[in-house]
Structures are given as C-alpha cells and as structure tokens.
C-alpha cells in the first residue's frame, strides 16, 4: 500500500469516529446532517454563506408542521447553539487529523492542488459524506462473524435473508453459464471501446473512472498502456482501475456475455449501469463507502479478490469487521452504501469483476 493510501485509510478511520462522538455528546444524527447541509449551502453560495444558512433555517418546520417566520426565529438560536457544540467537538478531531498528516509526511502541495482544481470541495469530500450519511441499521451486521457462502440459493431465500437486509453473501458458481468467463479480458474491453467512436468521451462526460493507485487520468489512457504492462510482466508498473459504463452500444455487447443473476427477485429492476474493476495483484480499492442508489452484486470473472467489510461506526458496539475472499465464478452481494470496504487482489490471474445495482 502506498503512503498516500495509508494516510487516506488513517484519515477515514479517524474521521468516521466523529459522528459517533457527536451522537454521544447529545447531537442526533439528523442534527449532524442538517449542520453539514447548511454548511454545504454556505460554501456553494460563494461569499453569501451566512445568508444561505439563514435561508435554510427558514425552511425548518414548527411543531405543528408550518414554517412561519415566528417559529423560525425561535428555532435559529437552537441551531446556532448546536453548531457551536458541534464545532467544539470537531476541533480535537481536526487536530488529530493534522497530527496524523504531519507524522505521515502528507503531501500538502498535492492536496492544495486538488482543492484548487475541485469546483466545490464540500460536494465530494469523504468527511462531509460521512457526517451527512444517515445512520445504518445495525441488524445488517449484528452477530455476523463470517460472510455466508451458498452453492445454491433460491429467490425466496435470497429475498428473505440478503436482498435488502444489508447482510452480505457469496453465491458460488453463479456465473457458470456466462460466456463472459471466457470472453472478458483487458484486450476485450480495450477493443470494445475502441470499436465505438465517442465511447471514451461518454465515460468522461457521464460516467466515472477510478484510477485508484495508478497515474492514469482516464479509461482511454489506461487502455493505451503497453502490452507488457497490461500483462503484468516483471518490471512493469502494477495497476488496478475501475469504471462505470454509460455507452448503450458497449452495454449491448457486454450483456451478450452475462445475464441477471438467477437469484435476484423477479420484481427487482436492474440498473442500466455496468461497473467494471480490473487489475493485478496488490491493493485494489482503498477503504471507502459508496454513494450509489441501490444494493449491488459483483461477479468475479477472473482472478481472486479479498474484501474487508467494516461496519459503520454507529454499529461497532454490536458488529465486527469481516473478511471474505471471492473466487473466480463467485458473486458477492454487498450493500456498499452501508459497509465500509476495501479490496486486495491476489497474485496470479488478472482480476476482472463486473457488477450492477438492483432495487
């Protein structure tokens, strides 16, 4: 793991404790969320942050459900006191973060460059996302010490135990009839995107590309790597990338080679997005939590990947972190909106994963 990745993991682990500390000091999760939403409004309005915050205050309902000005004047001082309380709770954590960064010799010049190049740092800052995140239902991880594995599971059992409960599962051999198992490779994806003009631009404009611990800035750049690097030959830089697909032409080709997992309930609708993750041995995705709409499945097309699943801080008193290795042909079910997670790729065959969301 690179120094930057270690620092990021330390920061995440330190910062997610703040929400729990805030709740223990008397603030409710909804209060924390509202404070940060008001702060976001202030940042996004440029120099008029105070006015934006006041405008947010006028939308607060009164006890009888109305939002008249008299009730608003009564509510504002409460929010100001809560903001002061929250600020004092925040200061020790921020000092701790600064200390961690100092000890790890964090590259502040790179950080400031990121700030300058980001239109609104509040919009996608993982700290803000954590503080504004709704509390997770701890039933998703309570008494879970091992991710269950099924050789076969029917739709009803999957629906009752895993589909919407947040409890993860592995379904072995669920991709046995997929031609993706033989077709999908680095060369397959590269040639597929090069086949359709504008497909790389579609990813840039409407989807997402994750370079992880590489220097690639786009999917097109990643697919321009040398054959030796793509084959992970000795002496070449390692790589691991991910992306979502928005190009309908590419989607049509991809879905010729895989199908909706057999255990997904018939009433569920699948997302139009495909997610792909691909790369060689070493760190995969750093610890994070997703911000997608629905729970998801991910199929291991080749290689082997270990997931570390970490419960959210509000559940740490009743839950514990678990690890699970996903082998070729397995499908993992995990609600990445609820579980913090990181992945590690095993040596050997290149790891290729494809997945989607369902409702």
């Amino acid at each position: 793991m690179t120094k930057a990745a270690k620092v990021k993991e330390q920061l995440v682990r330190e910062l997610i404790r703040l929400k729990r500390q805030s709740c223990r000091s008397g603030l409710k999760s909804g209060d924390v969320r509202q404070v940060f939403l008001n702060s976001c409004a202030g940042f996004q309005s440029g120099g008029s942050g105070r006015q934006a915050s006041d405008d947010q205050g006028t939308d607060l309902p009164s006890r009888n459900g109305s939002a008249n000005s008299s009730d608003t004047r009564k509510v504002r001082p409460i929010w100001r006191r809560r903001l002061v309380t929250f600020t004092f709770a925040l200061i020790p954590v921020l000092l701790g973060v600064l200390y961690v960064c100092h000890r790890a010799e964090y590259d502040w010049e790179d950080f400031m460059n990121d700030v300058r190049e980001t239109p609104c740092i509040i919009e996608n800052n993982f700290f803000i996302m954590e503080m504004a995140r709704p509390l997770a239902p701890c039933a998703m991880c309570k008494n879970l010490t091992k991710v269950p594995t099924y050789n076969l599971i029917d739709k009803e059992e999957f629906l009752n135990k895993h589909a919407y409960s947040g409890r993860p599962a592995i379904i072995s051999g669920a991709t046995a009839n997929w031609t993706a198992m033989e077709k999908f490779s680095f060369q397959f994806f590269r040639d597929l995107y090069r086949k359709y003009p504008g497909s790389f631009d579609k990813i840039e404009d409407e989807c997402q590309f994750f370079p992880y611990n590489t220097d690639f800035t786009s999917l097109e750049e990643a697919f321009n790597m040398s054959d030796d690097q793509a084959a992970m030959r000795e002496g070449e830089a390692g790589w691991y990338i991910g992306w979502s697909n928005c190009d309908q032409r590419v989607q049509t080709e991809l879905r010729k080679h895989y199908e909706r997992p057999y255990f997904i309930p018939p009433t569920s609708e699948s997302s139009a997005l495909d997610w792909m993750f691909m790369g060689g041995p070493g760190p995969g995705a750093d610890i994070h939590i997703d911000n997608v709409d629905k729970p998801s499945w991910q199929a291991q097309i080749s290689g082997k990947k270990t997931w570390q699943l970490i419960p959210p801080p509000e559940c740490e008193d009743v839950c514990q972190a678990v690890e699970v290795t996903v082998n070729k042909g397995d499908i993992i079910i995990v609600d990445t909106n609820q579980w913090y997670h990181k992945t590690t790729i095993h040596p050997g065959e290149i790891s290729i994963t494809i997945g989607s969301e369902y409702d």
Side-chain angles (χ1 to χ4, degrees), residues 15 28 30 121 127 131 162 167 169 232 273 283 325 337 345 348:
L15 292 173
K28 296 181 180 180
I121 192 171
F127 172 52
M131 300 315 300
H162 300 288
R167 294 182 79 84
M232 303 176 295
L273 283 179
T325 296
N337 296 301
I345 313 305

Side-chain angles (χ1 to χ4, degrees), residues 188-205:
F188 172 87
F189 290 121
R190 180 191 62 191
D191 295 345
L192 179 59
Y193 278 92
R194 288 178 176 176
K195 177 181 176 181
Y196 295 110
S199 60
F200 288 117
D201 293 334
K202 197 85 169 174
I203 302 297
E204 286 283 309
D205 297 338

Side-chain angles (χ1 to χ4, degrees), residues 60 149 284:
L60 291 172
T149 298

Side-chain angles (χ1 to χ4, degrees), residues 22 93 128 146 154 169 203 210 278 285 288 299 319 332:
S22 299
V93 177
I128 301 300
K146 181 181 179 182
D154 60 38
I203 302 297
F210 305 104
M278 178 170 61
H288 68 287
C319 300
I332 183 171

Side-chain angles (χ1 to χ4, degrees), residues 274-328:
D274 299 297
W275 292 87
M276 276 72 68
F277 302 92
M278 178 170 61
D286 296 331
I287 182 172
H288 68 287
I289 197 167
D290 289 339
N291 184 26
V292 294
D293 295 331
K294 307 164 187 174
S296 61
W297 57 266
Q298 291 193 25
Q300 193 71 29
I301 302 300
S302 67
K304 183 187 294 187
K305 181 190 296 185
T306 291
W307 289 65
Q308 184 179 8
L309 304 178
I310 304 162
E314 63 268 24
C315 299
E316 68 174 13
D317 293 338
V318 294
C319 300
Q320 65 183 56
V322 293
E323 282 193 1
V324 60
T325 296
V326 187
N327 295 294
K328 182 176 181 177

Side-chain angles (χ1 to χ4, degrees), residues 2-69:
T2 65
K3 180 180 289 187
K6 289 179 180 178
V7 171
K8 180 179 179 181
E9 183 166 340
Q10 285 180 292
L11 288 174
V12 173
R13 290 182 183 277
E14 287 295 320
L15 292 173
I16 62 177
R17 294 172 47 210
L18 178 58
K19 189 171 189 177
R20 186 180 68 255
Q21 293 173 356
S22 299
C23 292
R24 287 177 176 174
S25 69
L27 284 176
K28 296 181 180 180
S29 178
D31 299 340
V32 176
R33 179 180 176 83
Q34 188 63 49
V35 167
F36 273 85
L37 290 177
N38 289 347
S39 299
C40 276
F43 274 94
Q44 291 169 341
S45 64
S48 57
R50 182 173 182 177
Q51 180 64 42
S53 179
D54 288 343
D55 290 343
Q56 287 285 339
T58 60
D59 292 332
L60 291 172
S62 67
R63 293 178 185 271
N64 61 9
S66 64
N68 58 58
S69 59

